[in-house]
């Protein structure tokens, strides 16, 4: 009767994960260097400057209205079909699924949960910071503006900063943040910058965002990527706890492997000629009868391998009474 437990799909996935190579040694966690801190401070100052320029209804608000009255979707109508599809690269659902699929494959190959956890932390920070700014300032979009030339602040809107732009910066920028080599990080950084720039301009083209919304969305997404190294210790602790829970669940569900018996002391067998004189023989266990000593006859003895085989003389055929040697006449039968 077979008593083995049938493995589930989750067990097979974990078994496959255990056979994959470990996390590469050259992939290190980014740190908050002086250069990164300077960029973080400059981006934060730019963020505050955009907010102040909109609050005081400065030249930036007038530029917003000028771009809105220009109506780019009417100036270049042939781009409308392409822009409708391109702006999807900034929506939270499709981009999160695509990036999570890629980072999940990387987590599987590298035997680490850090890529997925970094994506989750960045999206959580994005929802908290951008969501709080949207509902805190309550700016109305171009399609719902009430007064020409006003900043449309604190009127119950949720358009400032641009969520599409900030989401594009974070979801595509996390690929550059988790890159394994400096060259891949540079190329992915340039690609994510171009993608997020196109998404922001697409929202201005359609008319769903002011130009200042896009500028603040770029700054909001970049702030999250620059501040992400501060959350690396939290990501490492979360990964260790998740893997520990997984190991406990596997040990609880799986059968316990038999513990091998401890190996005894090895016994060295030596020839009789090499044993020291006066050596004490080990006592024979009580459960086994002692063998009687073997007495050899006096004289020289040779080993079995040195003995030559003895060939028997004569024929090996049995004697037959009804056969007679050649040249003789058999006796007549009565």
């Amino acid at each position: 009767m077979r008593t083995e437990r049938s493995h589930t799909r989750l067990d097979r996935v974990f078994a496959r994960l255990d056979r994959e190579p470990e996390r590469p040694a050259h992939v290190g966690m980014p740190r908050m260097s002086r250069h990164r801190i300077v960029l973080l401070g400059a981006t934060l100052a730019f963020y505050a400057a955009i907010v102040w320029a909109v609050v005081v209804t400065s030249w930036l608000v007038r530029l917003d209205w000028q771009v809105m009255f220009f109506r780019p979707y009417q100036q270049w109508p042939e781009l409308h079909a392409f822009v409708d599809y391109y702006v999807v690269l900034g929506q939270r659902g499709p981009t999160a699924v695509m990036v999570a699929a890629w980072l999940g494959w990387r987590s599987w190959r590298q035997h680490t949960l850090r890529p997925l956890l970094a994506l989750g932390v960045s999206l959580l920070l994005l929802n908290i910071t951008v969501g709080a700014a949207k509902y805190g300032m309550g700016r109305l979009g171009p399609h719902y503006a009430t007064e020409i030339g006003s900043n449309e602040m604190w009127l119950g809107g949720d358009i400032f900063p641009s969520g599409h732009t900030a989401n594009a910066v974070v979801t595509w920028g996390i690929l550059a943040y988790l890159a394994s080599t400096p060259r891949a990080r540079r190329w992915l950084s340039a690609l994510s910058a171009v993608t997020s720039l196109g998404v922001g301009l697409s929202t201005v083209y359609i008319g769903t965002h002011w130009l200042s919304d896009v500028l603040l969305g770029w700054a909001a997404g970049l702030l999250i990527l620059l501040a992400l190294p501060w959350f690396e210790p939290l990501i490492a602790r979360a990964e260790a706890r998740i893997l520990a829970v997984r190991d406990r669940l596997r040990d609880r569900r799986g059968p316990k492997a038999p513990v091998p018996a401890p190996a005894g002391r090895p016994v060295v067998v030596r020839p009789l000629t090499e044993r020291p004189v006066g050596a004490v023989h080990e006592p024979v266990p009580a459960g086994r009868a002692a063998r009687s000593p073997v007495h050899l006859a006096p004289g020289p003895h040779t080993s079995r391998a040195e003995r030559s085989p003895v060939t028997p003389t004569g024929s090996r055929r049995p004697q037959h009474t009804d056969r007679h040697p050649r040249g003789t006449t058999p006796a007549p039968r009565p």
Side-chain angles (χ1 to χ4, degrees):
M1 179 182 296
R2 297 184 60 183
T3 59
E4 297 180 358
R5 182 177 60 89
S6 59
H7 296 284
T8 61
R9 185 181 299 273
L10 185 62
D11 293 334
R12 290 194 295 268
V13 169
F14 283 143
R16 176 65 179 173
L17 182 62
D18 290 337
R19 289 197 298 268
E20 294 297 334
E22 295 290 340
R23 175 180 172 180
H26 63 277
V27 180
M29 295 186 301
R31 297 180 179 180
M32 288 300 296
S33 60
R34 182 176 301 178
H35 178 69
R36 185 180 288 268
I37 293 177
V38 170
L39 287 178
L40 179 65
T43 306
L44 188 59
F46 179 75
Y47 187 97
I50 295 297
V51 174
W52 176 255
V54 173
V55 168
V56 299
T57 316
S58 65
W59 60 270
L60 186 57
V61 176
R62 294 193 297 270
L63 181 61
D64 289 339
W65 282 97
Q66 291 174 2
V67 173
M68 194 271 288
F69 284 134
F70 182 71
R71 288 180 172 81
Y73 60 90
Q74 293 181 356
Q75 300 295 330
W76 301 288
E78 63 276 6
L79 299 177
H80 205 290
F82 170 75
V83 172
D84 283 341
Y85 288 102
Y86 186 82
V87 79
V88 177
L89 295 178
Q91 291 183 359
R92 186 73 48 83
T95 56
V97 170
M98 289 186 290
V99 174
W102 169 253
L103 296 182
W105 183 83
R106 280 193 57 185
S107 297
W108 182 39
R109 292 293 298 176
Q110 296 180 359
H111 200 92
T112 176
L113 296 176
R114 178 175 171 261
L116 287 177
L117 292 177
L119 176 63
V121 170
S122 61
L123 292 180
L124 182 61
L125 293 175
L126 179 66
N127 290 333
I128 294 175
T129 57
V130 175
K134 278 177 174 290
Y135 292 103
M137 289 181 281
R139 191 182 188 187
L140 294 176
H143 294 314
Y144 303 96
T146 58
E147 184 181 353
I148 297 177
S150 65
N151 56 12
E152 304 295 327
M153 296 285 286
W154 298 291
L155 296 177
D158 56 351
I159 208 72
F160 186 66
S162 172
H164 275 68
T165 306
N167 182 73
V169 172
V170 172
T171 52
W172 301 115
I174 197 68
L175 299 179
Y177 177 83
L178 296 172
S180 303
T181 60
R183 182 179 180 182
R185 186 175 294 111
R186 288 192 297 268
W187 281 100
L188 290 174
S189 298
L191 181 61
S192 61
V194 172
T195 302
S196 58
L197 177 64
V199 169
L201 294 180
S202 298
T203 59
V204 175
Y205 171 86
I206 297 173
T208 57
H209 280 286
W210 305 100
L211 182 60
S212 57
D213 299 341
V214 174
L215 295 177
L216 196 65
W218 284 332
L222 188 57
L223 282 175
I224 294 173
L225 292 179
L226 291 175
L228 200 56
W230 278 333
F231 297 89
E232 286 291 346
L234 177 63
I235 293 174
R237 290 195 297 268
E239 180 184 10
R241 290 182 180 180
I242 292 174
L243 294 180
V245 171
R246 183 204 68 172
D247 294 339
R248 287 198 298 267
L249 291 177
R250 291 175 60 182
D251 295 341
R252 186 180 303 174
R253 292 185 304 169
K256 295 183 179 180
V259 180
R265 185 182 61 180
V267 179
V268 181
V269 180
R270 299 179 181 178
L272 293 175
T273 57
E274 296 183 5
R275 293 185 180 180
V277 180
V280 180
H281 299 281
E282 296 183 359
V284 180
R288 184 176 62 183
R291 296 181 181 178
S292 59
V294 179
H295 302 280
L296 299 177
H301 300 281
T302 58
S303 61
R304 187 172 183 179
E306 297 177 357
R307 299 172 188 171
S308 58
V310 179
T311 304
T313 58
S315 176
R316 296 184 179 182
R317 293 182 178 180
Q319 297 294 331
H320 297 277
T321 56
D322 56 346
R323 294 185 180 181
H324 300 277
R326 295 181 179 179
T328 59
T329 304
R333 295 182 179 179

